[in-house]
Amino acid sequence: CLWTLAAILRETLKDALVPRAGVLKKLLAPLDAVLEGFYNAILLHHFDSHHYTSPYSEATNNLISFIDLLEALLASRIELELPLRCQRILFLKVFYVLNLISSSIPYVIKKKLILLLKKCVLYKSKEDAKSGSLFLQTPSLCEDMLALSNAVLQVVNLTWLNQIPLSGKSSYFGSSEAAPGDDSQGGSDQTVLRALSLVVLKALEFKIHNSAAEAEIK
């Protein structure tokens, strides 16, 4: 079901001949509360269980399908003037994703989530893209980006970055120590390193532009 819904969203976005906004609203509006419930239930799950130790398990595949759906929902947001709750949930409850990234789930899922966060911080509404403005003009997106920035900066201010691996095997953020018994010299995953750095920098940038008090900026 998750895969099918994500596929329909992607195909709708590709089709230039249909009124995309109307089709998306008709498809997603009845599912709005359901998808938010899914988000809460799936991402609050206990991911340190043995079901997620293999990147090929059914549980892992289900989680990857859900991440693909979140990506499709983010991409579809640009078509609606007033985004639905299911298109905003990734920003408003990004803590679930941040916690998941630092859990013991397989590296392939951590990487997908980090790259999804990168798409979030680079996201612009249709109006902002047209105006070329450096600052967001859409109130809902401004609110969402501020929620995401606050959450990212809050965890980064703790030890979150130190818990994130930069490869499937040995290299960690801030450290290149090999894991015990690992003789390979495999370097860090530069794609993930760049994406993580960009997420933190954009969160800082947005927070600074939207902070009134100098003390808060510092």
Side-chain angles (χ1 to χ4, degrees):
C1 289
L2 293 171
W3 185 91
T4 304
L5 184 54
I8 291 169
L9 284 172
R10 282 194 291 264
E11 289 305 312
T12 303
L13 291 173
K14 283 182 195 172
D15 195 340
L17 300 176
V18 299
R20 288 190 287 244
V23 171
L24 289 168
K25 204 161 188 178
K26 194 173 180 181
L27 173 68
L28 293 175
L31 296 173
D32 207 19
V34 176
L35 289 172
E36 183 173 359
F38 261 38
Y39 185 90
N40 296 339
I42 291 175
L43 298 190
L44 265 181
H45 187 67
H46 185 62
F47 287 102
D48 295 327
S49 72
H50 66 279
H51 296 297
Y52 294 90
T53 50
S54 166
Y56 307 107
S57 70
E58 185 182 353
T60 301
N61 280 331
N62 289 341
L63 187 52
I64 287 173
S65 292
F66 187 63
I67 296 168
D68 288 341
L69 175 59
L70 289 177
E71 197 171 323
L73 286 169
L74 176 67
S76 70
R77 175 176 176 150
I78 199 166
E79 298 296 335
L80 297 184
E81 197 173 321
L82 288 172
L84 297 165
R85 178 79 180 176
C86 64
Q87 294 169 310
R88 302 180 64 192
I89 195 73
L90 185 55
F91 293 84
L92 299 175
K93 294 188 177 180
V94 74
F95 264 120
Y96 294 3
V97 170
L98 297 172
N99 289 337
L100 192 49
I101 290 170
S102 60
S103 73
S104 60
I105 54 169
Y107 180 74
V108 63
I109 298 180
K110 291 177 190 268
K111 183 169 182 173
K112 275 184 80 71
L113 287 169
I114 290 166
L115 294 177
L116 181 58
L117 280 182
K118 176 187 164 186
K119 287 182 178 178
C120 286
V121 297
L122 292 176
Y123 178 82
K124 281 191 173 183
S125 68
K126 202 175 270 187
E127 294 78 12
D128 291 328
K130 279 180 188 171
S131 70
S133 170
L134 294 175
F135 307 107
L136 300 176
Q137 311 295 321
T138 317
S140 62
L141 183 55
C142 202
E143 181 189 334
D144 293 356
M145 208 64 88
L146 192 56
L148 184 142
S149 299
N150 284 334
V152 167
L153 294 175
Q154 200 171 324
V155 295
V156 167
N157 209 27
L158 302 171
T159 57
W160 184 76
L161 282 176
N162 298 330
Q163 300 169 49
I164 300 173
L166 287 179
S167 77
K169 288 187 178 177
S170 58
S171 189
Y172 279 73
F173 200 103
S175 161
S176 57
E177 292 178 17
D182 184 9
D183 298 325
S184 69
Q185 296 297 313
S188 57
D189 186 330
Q190 296 300 304
T191 303
V192 169
L193 180 57
R194 283 194 299 269
L196 268 176
S197 302
L198 183 66
V199 167
V200 176
L201 285 170
K202 294 296 275 185
L204 264 175
E205 179 189 38
F206 193 79
K207 180 68 176 170
I208 287 168
H209 284 315
N210 289 274
S211 294
E214 192 177 338
E216 192 180 15
I217 292 172
K218 285 180 180 176

